[in-house]
Amino acid sequence: MESVPGIDPAVPPTGPGCVECTEAEGWWFHLRRCAECGHIGCCDSSPGQHASAHEQATGHPVIRSYEPGEDWFYSYREEAVFEGPPLAPPEARPASQPAPGPAGRVPANWMDLLH
């Protein structure tokens, strides 16, 4: 597969959860991985919307789902889902980590807090 702008297949993810939510002891609904630098951020349904904030701050145009069993990419510039190359492992959050997550930090009324 030829190289795709905004995707670096060699860069590993930054960790098992949203960087900013982890630092703030927050929670997320689903996770997204920056395909350029590996930053893990939470989806736009999550309270923090950190994946989109990362794109806005850095200009990194492509994310990939960081959920088990999902391998889709999304281009912010094209506003489109597409297929892309395999990325450095791991390809998803740990299967033992719930969604929403992380365990122990998700409020009982989490559905009311989604965007």
Side-chain angles (χ1 to χ4, degrees), residues 28-30 67 93 97-101 110:
W28 53 80
F29 183 46
H30 289 134
E67 293 297 315
R93 64 173 167 77
Q97 178 179 283
W110 66 270

PDB file of all heavy atoms in Angstrom, residues 28-30 67 93 97-101 110:
ATOM      1  N   TRP A  28     -14.023   8.353  29.295  1.00  0.00           N
ATOM      2  CA  TRP A  28     -14.323   8.463  27.864  1.00  0.00           C
ATOM      3  C   TRP A  28     -15.358   7.430  27.458  1.00  0.00           C
ATOM      4  O   TRP A  28     -15.579   6.448  28.138  1.00  0.00           O
ATOM      5  CB  TRP A  28     -13.059   8.277  27.028  1.00  0.00           C
ATOM      6  CG  TRP A  28     -12.327   7.011  27.360  1.00  0.00           C
ATOM      7  CD1 TRP A  28     -12.630   5.740  26.932  1.00  0.00           C
ATOM      8  CD2 TRP A  28     -11.199   6.874  28.211  1.00  0.00           C
ATOM      9  NE1 TRP A  28     -11.757   4.837  27.459  1.00  0.00           N
ATOM     10  CE2 TRP A  28     -10.854   5.509  28.256  1.00  0.00           C
ATOM     11  CE3 TRP A  28     -10.420   7.774  28.943  1.00  0.00           C
ATOM     12  CZ2 TRP A  28      -9.788   5.017  28.988  1.00  0.00           C
ATOM     13  CZ3 TRP A  28      -9.358   7.282  29.681  1.00  0.00           C
ATOM     14  CH2 TRP A  28      -9.048   5.926  29.696  1.00  0.00           C
ATOM     15  N   PHE A  29     -15.961   7.692  26.295  1.00  0.00           N
ATOM     16  CA  PHE A  29     -16.918   6.748  25.714  1.00  0.00           C
ATOM     17  C   PHE A  29     -16.172   5.776  24.791  1.00  0.00           C
ATOM     18  O   PHE A  29     -16.105   4.592  25.057  1.00  0.00           O
ATOM     19  CB  PHE A  29     -18.025   7.506  24.978  1.00  0.00           C
ATOM     20  CG  PHE A  29     -19.105   6.631  24.410  1.00  0.00           C
ATOM     21  CD1 PHE A  29     -19.675   5.616  25.153  1.00  0.00           C
ATOM     22  CD2 PHE A  29     -19.572   6.838  23.129  1.00  0.00           C
ATOM     23  CE1 PHE A  29     -20.672   4.807  24.629  1.00  0.00           C
ATOM     24  CE2 PHE A  29     -20.574   6.042  22.599  1.00  0.00           C
ATOM     25  CZ  PHE A  29     -21.127   5.021  23.338  1.00  0.00           C
ATOM     26  N   HIS A  30     -15.619   6.291  23.703  1.00  0.00           N
ATOM     27  CA  HIS A  30     -14.802   5.482  22.794  1.00  0.00           C
ATOM     28  C   HIS A  30     -13.483   6.205  22.533  1.00  0.00           C
ATOM     29  O   HIS A  30     -13.391   7.424  22.715  1.00  0.00           O
ATOM     30  CB  HIS A  30     -15.525   5.234  21.470  1.00  0.00           C
ATOM     31  CG  HIS A  30     -16.669   4.300  21.600  1.00  0.00           C
ATOM     32  ND1 HIS A  30     -17.900   4.534  21.034  1.00  0.00           N
ATOM     33  CD2 HIS A  30     -16.789   3.121  22.253  1.00  0.00           C
ATOM     34  CE1 HIS A  30     -18.725   3.543  21.316  1.00  0.00           C
ATOM     35  NE2 HIS A  30     -18.078   2.678  22.065  1.00  0.00           N
ATOM     36  N   GLU A  67     -10.809   1.029  19.150  1.00  0.00           N
ATOM     37  CA  GLU A  67     -11.725   0.091  19.790  1.00  0.00           C
ATOM     38  C   GLU A  67     -11.488  -1.314  19.241  1.00  0.00           C
ATOM     39  O   GLU A  67     -11.255  -1.479  18.032  1.00  0.00           O
ATOM     40  CB  GLU A  67     -13.177   0.506  19.536  1.00  0.00           C
ATOM     41  CG  GLU A  67     -13.566   1.803  20.211  1.00  0.00           C
ATOM     42  CD  GLU A  67     -13.483   1.727  21.722  1.00  0.00           C
ATOM     43  OE1 GLU A  67     -13.955   0.732  22.306  1.00  0.00           O
ATOM     44  OE2 GLU A  67     -12.941   2.665  22.327  1.00  0.00           O
ATOM     45  N   ARG A  93      -7.505  -0.506  22.317  1.00  0.00           N
ATOM     46  CA  ARG A  93      -7.398  -0.498  23.777  1.00  0.00           C
ATOM     47  C   ARG A  93      -7.439  -1.942  24.265  1.00  0.00           C
ATOM     48  O   ARG A  93      -7.918  -2.825  23.546  1.00  0.00           O
ATOM     49  CB  ARG A  93      -8.540   0.301  24.396  1.00  0.00           C
ATOM     50  CG  ARG A  93      -9.900  -0.316  24.139  1.00  0.00           C
ATOM     51  CD  ARG A  93     -11.008   0.384  24.906  1.00  0.00           C
ATOM     52  NE  ARG A  93     -12.311  -0.016  24.428  1.00  0.00           N
ATOM     53  CZ  ARG A  93     -12.910  -1.164  24.708  1.00  0.00           C
ATOM     54  NH1 ARG A  93     -12.330  -2.050  25.486  1.00  0.00           N
ATOM     55  NH2 ARG A  93     -14.108  -1.439  24.212  1.00  0.00           N
ATOM     56  N   GLN A  97     -10.442  -3.535  29.209  1.00  0.00           N
ATOM     57  CA  GLN A  97     -10.844  -2.182  29.597  1.00  0.00           C
ATOM     58  C   GLN A  97     -12.231  -1.909  29.025  1.00  0.00           C
ATOM     59  O   GLN A  97     -12.423  -2.008  27.827  1.00  0.00           O
ATOM     60  CB  GLN A  97      -9.838  -1.180  29.041  1.00  0.00           C
ATOM     61  CG  GLN A  97     -10.184   0.265  29.333  1.00  0.00           C
ATOM     62  CD  GLN A  97      -9.110   1.164  28.766  1.00  0.00           C
ATOM     63  OE1 GLN A  97      -8.050   1.274  29.345  1.00  0.00           O
ATOM     64  NE2 GLN A  97      -9.379   1.771  27.630  1.00  0.00           N
ATOM     65  N   PRO A  98     -13.193  -1.574  29.858  1.00  0.00           N
ATOM     66  CA  PRO A  98     -14.559  -1.396  29.353  1.00  0.00           C
ATOM     67  C   PRO A  98     -14.724  -0.108  28.549  1.00  0.00           C
ATOM     68  O   PRO A  98     -13.907   0.798  28.613  1.00  0.00           O
ATOM     69  CB  PRO A  98     -15.386  -1.325  30.639  1.00  0.00           C
ATOM     70  CG  PRO A  98     -14.450  -0.743  31.644  1.00  0.00           C
ATOM     71  CD  PRO A  98     -13.096  -1.312  31.299  1.00  0.00           C
ATOM     72  N   ALA A  99     -15.805  -0.066  27.791  1.00  0.00           N
ATOM     73  CA  ALA A  99     -16.233   1.159  27.111  1.00  0.00           C
ATOM     74  C   ALA A  99     -17.677   1.394  27.540  1.00  0.00           C
ATOM     75  O   ALA A  99     -18.491   0.508  27.370  1.00  0.00           O
ATOM     76  CB  ALA A  99     -16.145   1.011  25.605  1.00  0.00           C
ATOM     77  N   PRO A 100     -17.986   2.530  28.135  1.00  0.00           N
ATOM     78  CA  PRO A 100     -17.042   3.593  28.442  1.00  0.00           C
ATOM     79  C   PRO A 100     -16.041   3.167  29.511  1.00  0.00           C
ATOM     80  O   PRO A 100     -16.235   2.183  30.214  1.00  0.00           O
ATOM     81  CB  PRO A 100     -17.927   4.740  28.924  1.00  0.00           C
ATOM     82  CG  PRO A 100     -19.180   4.100  29.405  1.00  0.00           C
ATOM     83  CD  PRO A 100     -19.347   2.838  28.592  1.00  0.00           C
ATOM     84  N   GLY A 101     -15.006   3.934  29.612  1.00  0.00           N
ATOM     85  CA  GLY A 101     -13.947   3.592  30.559  1.00  0.00           C
ATOM     86  C   GLY A 101     -13.212   4.832  31.019  1.00  0.00           C
ATOM     87  O   GLY A 101     -13.552   5.939  30.619  1.00  0.00           O
ATOM     88  N   TRP A 110     -23.624   8.338  32.928  1.00  0.00           N
ATOM     89  CA  TRP A 110     -22.746   8.608  31.792  1.00  0.00           C
ATOM     90  C   TRP A 110     -23.510   8.828  30.487  1.00  0.00           C
ATOM     91  O   TRP A 110     -23.124   9.680  29.684  1.00  0.00           O
ATOM     92  CB  TRP A 110     -21.688   7.524  31.626  1.00  0.00           C
ATOM     93  CG  TRP A 110     -22.201   6.165  31.258  1.00  0.00           C
ATOM     94  CD1 TRP A 110     -22.570   5.169  32.107  1.00  0.00           C
ATOM     95  CD2 TRP A 110     -22.403   5.651  29.941  1.00  0.00           C
ATOM     96  NE1 TRP A 110     -22.977   4.062  31.418  1.00  0.00           N
ATOM     97  CE2 TRP A 110     -22.888   4.335  30.078  1.00  0.00           C
ATOM     98  CE3 TRP A 110     -22.226   6.178  28.663  1.00  0.00           C
ATOM     99  CZ2 TRP A 110     -23.198   3.537  28.963  1.00  0.00           C
ATOM    100  CZ3 TRP A 110     -22.530   5.376  27.563  1.00  0.00           C
ATOM    101  CH2 TRP A 110     -23.009   4.081  27.732  1.00  0.00           C
TER     102      TRP A 110
END
